[in-house]
Amino acid sequence: MDLRIEKTLDYIECHLGELLDLANLADVAGMSPSNFHKVFKKQTSYTPFQFVEKLRVTKAHNLLMEGDLLVSDLSDMLGYKDYETFSRVFKKHYLLSPDDFKAIANHIKAQIHANGAGDFIIATVDSETFSSGNPAQQLLQLAQEKNVAIKELEEAKIFTISQEDDVVHSEIRIKNKFNVRDNSKVWQTILQDISNES
């Protein structure tokens, strides 16, 4: 990889809360904006804007999973001009608003800890998206996006989030609109199929 692009990637990671426009990043790389954009896209498969956005929402996702930060504080911390922009971008990537995601993640973590589980991974997937298409391919893509080894997924609790009107009354609803189901058995079967194909 071009050392100028590597330098820019390091800079982006260390300055996510700051203004990271094309001119600023091109300056860090010591290139003209048009040349920087072309080289960056060729080397990373993302435009600088797409890369910054992906890094920011990934960090937001991880911080919402791990910490007790307020979503509004998180949007400021990651360089979004306002909560609405942050929420719209997060929802584009994760299909849920950051507030909804945090409520669901907190519910799942409490449920897992109450059952005495140790380490866990939470993969949130919209059940409609999951059921349409090839589940094995979607699982592999999810693992790749989250930088998780298939072996780790084999030991994970995996939940499906859905927003259905016909709810069984015994199911727990989160924020009065989401059903969260432990789909580990379904995913374990898919994982076995993937292992058998390898």
Side-chain angles (χ1 to χ4, degrees):
M1 180 175 275
D2 188 312
L3 290 175
R4 297 170 298 178
I5 300 302
E6 279 188 25
K7 179 182 175 185
T8 309
L9 295 178
D10 290 341
Y11 180 86
I12 290 169
E13 207 160 322
C14 294
H15 296 87
L16 281 177
E18 299 173 19
L19 176 65
L20 296 171
D21 62 15
L22 183 63
N24 173 255
L25 295 176
D27 190 48
V28 169
M31 302 167 78
S32 72
S34 61
N35 191 38
F36 170 73
H37 189 279
K38 186 172 79 176
V39 173
F40 190 95
K41 170 107 178 172
K42 186 175 181 183
Q43 300 252 325
T44 65
S45 303
Y46 294 100
T47 67
F49 174 78
Q50 290 169 333
F51 186 83
V52 168
E53 181 178 281
K54 184 171 172 37
L55 222 54
R56 282 178 171 160
V57 295
T58 300
K59 183 161 187 167
H61 174 276
N62 294 339
L63 289 169
L64 286 170
M65 289 287 295
E66 296 164 7
D68 297 322
L69 291 169
L70 295 173
V71 175
S72 57
D73 292 343
L74 197 55
S75 65
D76 292 340
M77 191 173 92
L78 292 174
Y80 289 95
K81 62 182 179 185
D82 54 45
Y83 170 78
E84 289 75 21
T85 303
F86 168 60
S87 183
R88 187 173 56 252
V89 172
F90 190 91
K91 193 168 186 173
K92 181 175 88 176
H93 286 265
Y94 291 104
L95 308 174
L96 297 164
S97 74
D99 289 310
D100 290 340
F101 178 82
K102 182 176 180 178
I104 290 166
N106 286 343
H107 168 78
I108 291 171
K109 286 192 291 188
Q111 193 176 27
I112 288 173
H113 287 307
N115 294 329
D119 292 338
F120 60 91
I121 299 165
I122 298 173
T124 55
V125 179
D126 180 275
S127 52
E128 185 177 318
T129 303
F130 181 73
S131 62
S132 64
N134 181 341
Q137 187 60 39
Q138 289 175 335
L139 182 57
L140 288 172
Q141 183 180 347
L142 181 69
Q144 185 179 18
E145 285 173 8
K146 295 190 178 301
N147 201 24
V148 173
I150 292 295
K151 188 68 184 159
E152 289 177 274
L153 282 177
E154 288 173 359
E155 299 162 6
K157 294 289 264 177
I158 301 176
F159 296 85
T160 307
I161 312 304
S162 62
Q163 212 171 344
E164 300 167 2
D165 293 331
D166 56 337
V167 180
V168 178
H169 291 295
S170 62
E171 288 184 350
I172 296 174
R173 300 274 284 169
I174 298 171
K175 292 186 83 173
N176 226 9
K177 58 184 174 178
F178 295 105
N179 298 321
V180 178
R181 291 191 186 95
D182 180 349
N183 285 87
S184 298
K185 289 180 184 173
V186 173
W187 289 60
Q188 297 305 324
T189 304
I190 295 166
L191 284 163
Q192 282 181 326
D193 292 343
I194 291 170
S195 298
N196 293 339
E197 289 172 11
S198 303

